[in-house]
Amino acid sequence: MQSMRLVILDKYDDVSVWAAKYIRRRILAFKPGPDRYFTLGLPTGSTPLGTYKKLIEYYKAGNLSFKYVKTFNMDEYVAIPRDHPESYHSFMWNNFFKHIDIDPANANILDGNAVDVQKECDDYEKKIAAAGGIELFVGGIGPDGHIAFNEPGSSLVSRTRIKSLAQDTILANARFFGGDLSKVPHQALTVGVGTVMDAREVMILITGAHKAFTLHKVIVFNDTSLYR
Ligand code: PGA
């Protein structure tokens, strides 16, 4: 049976330090090397920013290397240019990858401009499998409870695919597009709930009072699912 552990901390910074330390500990304990890559699933959003800052600090202090780490990002908007400042490619490069020693070839992000979107999604699943599956999937959660862009109602066994964003998510993300709803992409490619749940371990970061009710629902759902 899968078990859930809930770690409650007082402040956003405490969450960032805890999460970054945990990721470092898992990578170091794995002893990655040329024949043994650690696979890490990663999110975008405001929540993980502090965690990325801490991980960059560890790298700069010589306490952590990403040389033998492969990353798989959760999602990417459809049909905004890769170098758009709000694309998840830009987010990951600016906030994390360009500051660490990861090999760009090992930093995987879905291509939201792929001509054949379904093939792109299927290939992503194959790439994850070829990398040996994901060791630790780090994620965030939306105020409507979504994980990656799996909006409410997504199947719990869903795989990587194209999804339309829920109106709540479009509203939440408008802050990144000058508050202009029409500029927020309405579709994204996203790993599925099943893709996330296949990971050896999942760490979801939840901060902010606006997500308290969402967290409450997560705990109640997990509690009742134990008795099924
Ligand atoms: P946030 O986004 O970290 O910016 O709140 C999380 C999400 O929507 O998954």
Side-chain angles (χ1 to χ4, degrees), residues 44-48 140-143 146-148 169 173 175-176 210-211:
T44 51
S46 321
T47 314
I141 199 166
H146 69 222
I147 292 210
T169 304
N173 290 5
R175 68 190 196 276
F176 300 116
H210 64 303
K211 292 185 187 169

Side-chain angles (χ1 to χ4, degrees), residues 171-191:
L171 286 169
N173 290 5
R175 68 190 196 276
F176 300 116
F177 293 86
D180 184 345
L181 294 186
S182 71
K183 293 218 172 91
V184 186
H186 286 205
Q187 287 187 309
L189 303 188
T190 178
V191 294

